[in-house]
Amino acid sequence: MENPAPPAHGLPTGPDPVVRTPYGRVRGRYEQGVAVFRGIPFAAPPFGPHRFRPPVPPEPWDGVRDAGAYGPTPPKPPYSEAFARFLADPVVAGDDCLNLNVWTPEPGRGARLPVMVWIHGGALTRGSSAVPVYDGTAFARDGVVLVSFNYRLGVEGYGLFPDAPPNLGLHDQLAALEWVRACAAEFGGDPDLVTVFGESAGAISIGALLAAPRARGLFRRAVLQSGPPEVTDRDKVRRLVRRMAARLEVPATAAAFADVDRTRLAEAQAEAGRMAGPVLGGPAFGIVVDGDLVPRDPAAALVDGAARDVPLLMGWTSEEYRLWIAPTGLVERIDRLGPLAVALAMARCHCGPEVIRGYRAAHPAATTSELIGQMVTDHLLRVPLHRLADARAGLAPAAGPPHPPAGPPAPAPAPTTTTASASTSATSASTHVYEFAWRSNVPGLGACHALELGFVFDAADVPEAERLAGPDAPRELAREMHTAWVRFAVDGDPGWAPWDASHPVRLFGGEEGPVVHGPRDAEMALWQAQSRRPDPRRTTHRVTRPPLRVTAPLSAVRRFRKT
């Protein structure tokens, strides 16, 4: 790795930096010209009396607490062997897992630097702030205070129980942002210039926070990487909890789960969720409408104007789906099954044959797995982000989901509490859209989900990033993407035109560009047309094609996975 640019703010390299927080002082380290603090608790350990309860402040400490190493990570099952080859997920033992890390070029009050807060992904079941790719040195080097944090995962953070509140992991995220609001200035940051950014489940979380009344004023800008605003059907979450309870032979209550050994709980979670995934669907943990922190579906709230004054940067990778299907051998199975795989994908996406025919026409050389992968990616990710970008730009409604989100109707939000930094102005803040198109040097991965992370953090050649990118990733591309994120945090302009009727998209690492217009418009038009067709689940008239079950039969899914 090339030597980093000189830090924007000179720092001593002598005594370790010490900073005061509301709960006590912490001692960090000077590393590569920036001050680093790791493992600072922002909430009490979520165990004992705090198990399956909203976060509470940590106990204050006397003296100076050492903040030289990453703190404990939340309980979680490991990645399967297939995914562990590509995704690092370190485990740090201990109870005090609600902790955060800070990289800063200038600790102490007075600097008033931009702050960026990273929310990690991992399907809300895996990941942590200790993943080496998320090292914030490059951001601090470039004059930004970088904060990353842990939050509760899986059943601990997103289980649905009759005796516990929902969305506890999202409550943890809110508590971390409140800590940033209270403490950023002590670390050289400006609490009024906070940008949240996250990938996959982290981006989905930010979508919920954008629409959460209680998050109002905690951040000024937001970046959504490969994750749309969405909520999960409560029944899907309950089914997963019930499956775990059956395996554990305990009642499906928080009190019963709290008595189960953490290792056994993680094993039961991994087994119960084995059939779930972006391509196949199935029961999964996710954010749910709760009438409190999440009063309504964030996607609908944001399209209706929530957070309209918060500038957004959002986008995707060109071949998100390859990480979902390549490591497990699903590429070959999909191609081998052909028509059955297409039928399953149509059921997964609630669409008719017109959509798959349109994809075949748009991509005549694509294999079945490539067509299905792009179709599922568009249905889950690009369609809702396109729709949000168009709504914020005041354009005609873009392609919405073919059917309303499942689940009970949510109460209408109060007019004064619909946004994070609410605005009543009819003019939205800017929305910038990107696509990461560079293809991995690892055979089969292409421009897959999560590949851009090493580039955003300007760390594409650290060993953990090389798992996805392979050797010799383009350093200049990393500098370009990282610089765009820094620019957005500083002044809201990442370096290209905001979204308008021409649909400008910044293409990172593609053969076209750097800015292309409407690169996904043909596919989006297919979904827009689909959304205007009658819902096959609610019509009884005769159709000319064999009817499809909305949820693929379990026997077909099993056959698909075993083939």
Side-chain angles (χ1 to χ4, degrees), residues 32-305:
Q32 302 182 57
V34 302
V36 186
F37 302 80
R38 297 182 176 92
I40 304 172
F42 66 85
F47 302 105
H50 305 307
R51 191 83 177 271
F52 295 106
R53 289 292 178 264
V56 297
E59 289 291 330
W61 57 87
D62 296 325
V64 181
R65 183 183 182 118
D66 186 70
Y70 287 112
T73 52
K76 56 188 172 179
Y79 282 114
S80 67
E81 183 178 348
F83 288 102
R85 292 181 295 153
F86 303 109
L87 302 173
D89 196 11
V91 173
V92 182
D95 287 354
D96 212 353
C97 60
L98 297 183
N99 58 73
L100 52 76
N101 319 293
V102 183
W103 287 260
T104 175
E106 192 170 337
R109 286 186 168 270
R112 306 288 291 185
L113 300 172
V115 179
M116 297 187 73
V117 181
W118 171 248
I119 305 180
H120 71 80
L124 298 177
T125 58
R126 295 174 175 87
S128 76
S129 64
V131 173
V133 179
Y134 307 153
D135 185 286
T137 298
F139 282 102
R141 174 198 71 199
D142 293 335
V144 171
V145 176
L146 191 286
V147 180
S148 63
F149 60 80
N150 295 333
Y151 55 95
R152 278 173 282 184
L153 303 169
V155 71
E156 300 271 359
Y158 297 94
L160 271 179
F161 298 101
D163 55 340
N167 296 322
L168 291 174
L170 195 66
H171 281 269
D172 296 342
Q173 296 177 15
L174 184 69
L177 288 171
E178 289 170 341
W179 185 98
V180 171
R181 179 71 184 174
C183 301
E186 299 291 344
F187 291 84
D190 183 349
D192 294 320
L193 192 56
V194 174
T195 297
V196 289
F197 70 127
E199 186 265 348
S200 193
I204 292 170
S205 300
I206 290 171
L209 291 167
L210 279 163
R214 289 173 55 188
R216 184 190 316 116
L218 294 179
F219 52 89
R220 181 180 292 187
R221 303 184 182 107
V223 183
L224 284 72
Q225 300 171 213
S226 300
E230 66 177 22
V231 287
T232 300
D233 181 359
R234 296 174 71 95
D235 286 340
K236 291 181 69 173
V237 180
R238 288 194 184 100
R239 287 203 304 273
L240 191 51
V241 171
R242 287 196 294 267
R243 286 184 183 181
M244 290 183 62
R247 282 172 168 80
L248 295 167
E249 298 181 333
V250 300
T253 65
F257 275 46
D259 288 336
V260 177
D261 175 78
R262 293 181 210 172
T263 300
R264 187 170 170 233
L265 196 64
E267 291 171 350
Q269 177 179 306
E271 181 62 25
R274 187 173 56 87
M275 299 284 286
V279 176
L280 294 177
F285 291 115
I287 297 166
V288 298
V289 173
D290 59 15
D292 176 26
L293 184 55
V294 186
R296 62 181 299 207
D297 180 358
L302 293 174
V303 166
D304 287 347

Side-chain angles (χ1 to χ4, degrees), residues 492-548:
D493 180 5
W496 65 92
W499 191 262
D500 60 18
S502 69
H503 290 181
V505 176
R506 173 63 161 93
L507 202 62
F508 288 99
E511 297 179 359
E512 304 173 66
V515 176
V516 295
H517 293 268
R520 302 285 173 177
D521 284 3
E523 292 89 339
M524 297 301 102
L526 296 171
W527 295 102
Q528 190 169 23
Q530 174 69 32
S531 69
R532 292 194 292 263
R533 295 190 181 96
D535 184 343
R537 297 177 296 178
R538 296 186 176 92
T539 58
T540 57
H541 63 274
R542 187 173 182 179
V543 293
T544 57
R545 63 179 185 274
L548 290 171

